[in-house]
């Protein structure tokens, strides 16, 4: 039995120059939406594509709404969600396929947990052979924050529901909480690490992300990023944004440790000619003012925050 209209949801698919990915992935998304236990529409959020994504959608999928936005990466979701009225919305990258029964468990997980900001599915590679996530664990190694799903022993956790530190390519969000938190931070544009930033900020606000293995998705991985930036460019963005994450969010001994290791890394990179690290550091320094402004807005360093920060790293340690 389908739910009433006031119980509806929707799926937003973010796209930039992804005509081929939409052709491959969108049919499964539409099928999952049609099979959802509540009315669930699908809308593509197009980030000013320069290919023929929009004409292709109008021709091949005329029933799919298209919202055009300036290219702000994942932060494009912020404005679109502000104009929606569903309580729970699924946010997808354009390189994601959904299992036919994927929608219902994610929506229910968010609605049934008053502390949940988001819910993440069990995610596989397109061929279903390799677990990709979304039960994310976190650690700091040599001064850098690292988030990963395939940590040692992850095989024991694949089928177990629980908490997750972040979810990247596919998640369901409580729309009101997401907007109250400020959504995705454009500081990290064009992308990488902004999902971990969202999960950390949710935790610091007293909310959390939940892992729902009953819901299944499939992700190509770097479907849009690698063609645009190459592998080295993707790695450089991840490192740049990891630095920004630390400068924006961390406090106490953890921040001091990061800064100490950063000085060592910079000296070693300069002495050995590791240009990639120096370029990432330079890119992060160019956005330092934005990171510090976000830090002040979040009142990093206020009483009780350090204990909450350390609880995050204990909860998701690996």
């Amino acid at each position: 039995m389908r739910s009433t209209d006031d119980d509806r949801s929707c799926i937003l698919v973010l796209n930039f120059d992804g005509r081929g990915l939409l052709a491959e992935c969108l049919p499964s998304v539409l099928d999952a939406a049609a099979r959802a236990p509540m009315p669930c529409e699908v809308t593509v959020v197009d980030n000013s594509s320069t290919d023929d994504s929009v004409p292709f959608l109008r021709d091949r999928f005329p029933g799919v709404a298209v919202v055009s936005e300036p290219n702000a990466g994942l932060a494009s979701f912020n404005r679109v969600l502000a104009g929606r009225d569903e309580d729970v919305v699924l946010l997808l990258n354009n390189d994601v396929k959904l299992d036919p029964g994927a929608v219902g468990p994610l929506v229910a997980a968010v609605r049934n947990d008053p502390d949940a900001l988001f819910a993440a599915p069990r995610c596989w590679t397109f061929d279903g052979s390799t677990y990709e996530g979304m039960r994310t664990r976190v650690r700091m190694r040599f001064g850098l924050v690292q988030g990963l799903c395939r940590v040692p022993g992850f095989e024991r956790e694949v089928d177990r529901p629980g908490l997750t530190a972040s979810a990247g390519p596919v998640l369901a969000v409580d729309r009101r909480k997401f907007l109250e938190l400020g959504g995705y931070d454009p500081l990290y544009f064009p992308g990488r690490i902004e999902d971990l930033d969202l999960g950390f900020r949710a935790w610091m606000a007293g909310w959390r992300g939940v892992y729902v293995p009953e819901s299944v998705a499939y992700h190509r991985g770097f479907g849009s990023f690698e063609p645009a930036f190459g592998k080295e460019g993707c790695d450089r963005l991840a490192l740049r944004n990891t630095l920004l994450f630390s400068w924006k969010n961390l406090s106490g001994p953890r921040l001091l440790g990061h800064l100490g290791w950063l000085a060592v890394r910079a000296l070693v990179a300069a002495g050995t000619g590791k240009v990639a690290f120096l370029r990432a550091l330079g890119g992060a320094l160019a956005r330092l003012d934005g990171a510090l402004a976000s830090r002040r807005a979040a009142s990093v360093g206020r009483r009780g925050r350090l204990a909450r920060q350390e609880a995050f790293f204990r909860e998701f340690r690996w």
Side-chain angles (χ1 to χ4, degrees):
M1 178 181 296
R2 297 182 69 86
S3 301
T4 57
D5 282 347
D6 62 355
D7 204 26
R8 58 199 164 81
S9 184
C10 76
I11 301 173
L12 301 180
V13 179
L14 190 67
N15 177 68
F16 175 73
D17 286 356
R19 179 196 184 282
L21 292 169
L22 292 171
E24 185 172 6
C25 299
L26 200 53
S28 74
V29 175
L30 291 168
D31 182 56
R35 296 170 183 262
M38 75 288 291
C40 183
E41 70 173 62
V42 177
T43 295
V44 172
V45 179
D46 187 74
N47 268 355
S48 302
S49 290
T50 60
D51 67 359
D52 63 343
S53 288
V54 174
F56 167 76
L57 287 166
R58 289 171 180 160
D59 179 53
R60 281 281 303 275
F61 301 99
V64 174
V66 178
V67 176
S68 296
E69 286 288 322
N71 189 1
L74 287 179
S76 295
F77 280 132
N78 300 352
R79 280 197 358 153
V80 177
L81 282 175
R84 307 288 309 192
D85 61 1
E86 298 89 353
D87 63 335
V88 179
V89 178
L90 275 71
L91 308 180
L92 271 64
N93 287 358
N94 59 3
D95 57 353
V96 168
K97 296 180 181 179
L98 293 181
D99 187 77
V103 174
L106 290 178
V107 173
V110 175
R111 285 180 174 163
N112 295 337
D113 185 342
D115 294 327
L117 171 71
F118 66 90
R122 174 171 38 171
C123 194
W124 301 89
T125 54
F126 266 11
D127 61 6
S129 65
T130 303
Y131 175 72
E132 184 158 307
M134 302 275 120
R135 188 171 185 141
T136 308
R137 321 308 294 175
V138 182
R139 71 176 180 181
M140 287 198 72
R141 185 170 176 83
F142 303 122
L144 297 180
V145 176
Q146 298 176 332
L148 195 64
C149 294
R150 292 193 296 270
V151 301
F154 78 90
E155 298 89 349
R156 297 189 298 271
E157 305 296 326
V158 169
D159 299 322
R160 297 179 184 175
L163 300 185
T164 182
S166 69
V170 49
L171 68 165
V173 298
D174 181 304
R175 190 183 66 87
R176 179 190 61 80
K177 291 180 184 136
F178 179 89
L179 294 173
E180 184 176 332
L181 200 61
Y184 289 113
D185 192 340
L187 174 71
Y188 300 102
F189 180 81
R192 307 298 304 278
I193 312 299
E194 63 268 62
D195 57 324
L196 182 60
D197 177 78
L198 181 74
F200 180 81
R201 286 185 288 126
W203 179 271
M204 298 303 286
W207 299 326
R208 58 190 190 171
V210 293
Y211 173 64
V212 186
E214 180 186 354
S215 176
V216 177
Y218 304 89
H219 182 223
R220 170 168 287 181
F222 299 104
S224 295
F225 261 68
E226 195 159 313
F229 301 104
K231 186 179 185 306
E232 289 186 6
C234 290
D235 291 344
R236 186 168 61 252
L237 281 170
L239 179 54
R240 183 200 73 177
N241 288 352
T242 299
L243 298 175
L244 290 171
F245 175 96
S246 297
W247 302 345
K248 171 189 171 182
N249 292 311
L250 298 184
S251 59
R254 199 171 291 275
L255 175 62
L256 293 176
H258 161 76
L259 294 174
W261 273 109
L262 182 59
V264 172
R265 284 175 174 271
L267 288 172
V268 170
T272 58
K274 291 186 177 179
V275 177
F277 178 85
L278 296 176
R279 289 181 67 187
L281 177 58
L285 288 171
R287 300 189 178 205
L288 178 60
D289 286 348
L292 294 179
S294 294
R295 182 181 181 88
R296 289 190 294 270
S299 300
V300 175
R302 71 178 183 270
R303 185 174 182 178
R305 184 179 170 90
L306 182 60
R308 186 73 181 166
Q309 168 190 285
E310 293 309 302
F312 177 84
F313 283 94
R314 285 195 303 273
E315 176 66 40
F316 301 112
R317 68 184 180 276
W318 59 282

